[in-house]
Amino acid sequence: LLTDDAEFGRAVAAAVERRLETLERRAIAGASWRDFGAVITVRDLDEAACLSNRVAPEHLELCVADPDVLARKITHAGAIFLGQWTPEAIGDYIGGPNHVLPTARSARFSSGLGVHDFIKRTTLAKMTPQALKAIGPAAERLAISESLEAHGLSIRTRLDRLNEDAP
């Protein structure tokens, strides 16, 4: 929990402790709360957004007065649940968002599973002689620095041919 209200944070922590006493799976949930749970008081919601982006959560509930505004400040989350009436469990079971989400902070560079993950794509590259003259030497140096001699030679051979053909 990230909150700008310390008293609210204490109340939530106390409520979690009370709820843990009644859960059937309290041993599992209690260990999770003990090992991974946290209530962090921040100065304001901008700081909360910044910290959330660093954590890059799999699931993020924005239970604030204007969740749409705050959501625009979130760049790293697997799924965002907007407002107090949108619990994360709705997304797990019936709300529509995909439940195959990036875990372990990987929302920094990955997204939830989507239709694009099932589409085969092919990358195309096309150089002109002028373009190869401009960037070929840098690519050749990189290939040599990686000890990939044949890669470097594939570039050098073409550059030499261009130089032979030059007037």
Side-chain angles (χ1 to χ4, degrees):
L1 171 65
L2 303 177
T3 180
D4 60 356
D5 181 342
E7 183 55 37
F8 177 72
R10 286 189 286 277
V12 168
V16 169
E17 292 296 335
R18 285 191 304 276
R19 178 59 66 192
L20 285 172
E21 294 173 7
T22 65
L23 291 177
E24 287 182 25
R25 297 178 61 185
R26 62 184 150 271
I28 295 168
S32 181
W33 175 248
R34 180 192 68 236
D35 296 344
F36 304 109
V39 176
I40 300 170
T41 304
V42 293
R43 287 184 299 271
D44 53 37
L45 294 181
D46 286 336
E47 184 178 34
C50 182
L51 183 54
S52 178
N53 285 327
R54 290 186 66 196
V55 171
E58 177 182 359
H59 303 95
L60 177 62
E61 287 187 21
L62 298 180
C63 298
V64 297
D66 195 346
D68 296 301
V69 168
L70 187 56
R72 287 193 284 274
K73 297 176 182 178
I74 303 299
T75 55
H76 303 308
I80 302 173
F81 300 87
L82 302 171
Q84 65 178 332
W85 304 111
T86 315
E88 179 271 331
I90 286 295
D92 283 356
Y93 301 116
I94 199 165
N98 186 344
H99 186 59
V100 182
L101 299 171
T103 59
R105 299 187 66 216
S106 63
R108 293 170 295 140
F109 54 83
S110 184
S111 303
L113 185 67
V115 69
H116 289 100
D117 296 300
F118 297 95
I119 296 173
K120 182 186 171 296
R121 297 177 306 272
T122 300
T123 301
L124 300 174
K126 184 176 183 181
M127 302 291 295
T128 63
Q130 297 80 11
L132 184 61
K133 280 183 181 182
I135 67 171
E140 180 185 22
R141 279 191 298 279
L142 288 169
I144 291 167
S145 74
E146 291 187 328
S147 298
L148 297 175
E149 181 182 9
H151 277 24
L153 287 171
S154 74
I155 298 165
R156 175 51 39 206
T157 300
R158 287 170 172 86
L159 290 173
D160 289 347
R161 185 168 167 214
L162 285 173
N163 290 332
E164 290 171 5
D165 294 343

